[in-house]
Amino acid sequence: MPHAPESTPSVHLRVPTDEDALAWYRVFDHPEVMEFHGGRSAEYSVYEELTARQRRHDAELGHCLWTVLDDAGEVLGFTGAQPWPHTSFGPVGEIEIGWRLGRAAWGRGYATAAARATLDRTRALGVREVVAMINVRNARSVAVAERLGMRQAETYTSPVSGQEAYCFRLEL
């Protein structure tokens, strides 16, 4: 297991562009990245729809899943906040934060840095509490949530996948 980075890397967040659909498709095209997101690479059209939805969220809510870039302008993945998308299970009506980075960016502190930037932005918008839904087997994401100071609250089982997920909460 890689050790924690000595310093927090800098990250830059932007509202996803049309071009980011292809960048997300490419950076997430790895079995380890997709292990807890359906287990296989998603079609390009999934990312076209996802980036378009995030632009709507940004316009309507002021927050979304932002594209994460490093100092060189390379797309690392996404982080951000969006309304929990389900009405039949999970933290219905809550604002969910999340992160997903390409495999090459793992173990370097980018997820935590990006998630902290998300917390700063959502706090500035007046959001009072956020949740993070994390597959119970996803130790890397659980560690990020814990580094953010989130507390494990409920556990939910997805009616779609049958997978269990922890719901972490954090008051802003």
Side-chain angles (χ1 to χ4, degrees):
M1 185 148 223
H3 64 83
E6 297 299 316
S7 63
T8 303
S10 64
V11 293
H12 308 276
L13 308 182
R14 72 172 178 221
V15 175
T17 64
D18 285 333
E19 293 78 19
D20 286 339
L22 183 57
W24 290 8
Y25 173 76
R26 286 180 174 156
V27 79
F28 299 146
D29 187 21
H30 190 286
E32 287 182 80
V33 172
M34 298 306 292
E35 179 180 1
F36 304 110
H37 307 286
R40 58 186 171 77
S41 296
E43 298 292 323
Y44 174 62
S45 61
V46 169
Y47 296 109
E48 288 179 305
E49 193 281 328
L50 182 58
T51 53
R53 183 172 0 120
Q54 298 315 311
R55 286 190 293 278
R56 285 193 306 275
H57 286 329
D58 179 70
E60 295 167 8
L61 306 170
H63 57 78
C64 65
L65 295 179
W66 294 288
T67 295
V68 178
L69 306 150
D70 66 11
D71 280 337
E74 292 298 313
V75 172
L76 303 177
F78 65 64
T79 188
Q82 64 178 352
W84 174 249
H86 306 283
T87 56
S88 60
F89 80 100
V92 175
E94 303 275 357
I95 299 297
E96 178 192 29
I97 64 167
W99 47 86
R100 185 186 312 169
L101 298 181
R103 184 64 185 89
W106 288 13
R108 296 165 54 193
Y110 285 118
T112 301
R116 283 194 176 121
T118 292
L119 293 177
D120 291 343
R121 287 183 176 202
T122 53
R123 185 180 293 114
L125 290 167
V127 174
R128 294 175 180 228
E129 183 179 56
V130 293
V131 299
M133 290 289 286
I134 302 172
N135 185 296
V136 298
R137 297 178 298 115
N138 190 342
R140 288 176 175 276
S141 277
V142 166
V144 171
E146 290 172 346
R147 280 194 289 277
L148 297 173
M150 300 187 85
R151 64 177 173 77
Q152 186 181 326
E154 306 86 8
T155 301
Y156 293 103
T157 301
S158 166
V160 177
S161 67
Q163 298 286 313
E164 283 196 332
Y166 296 132
C167 179
F168 285 83
R169 293 182 175 275
L170 181 66
E171 287 186 32
L172 302 179

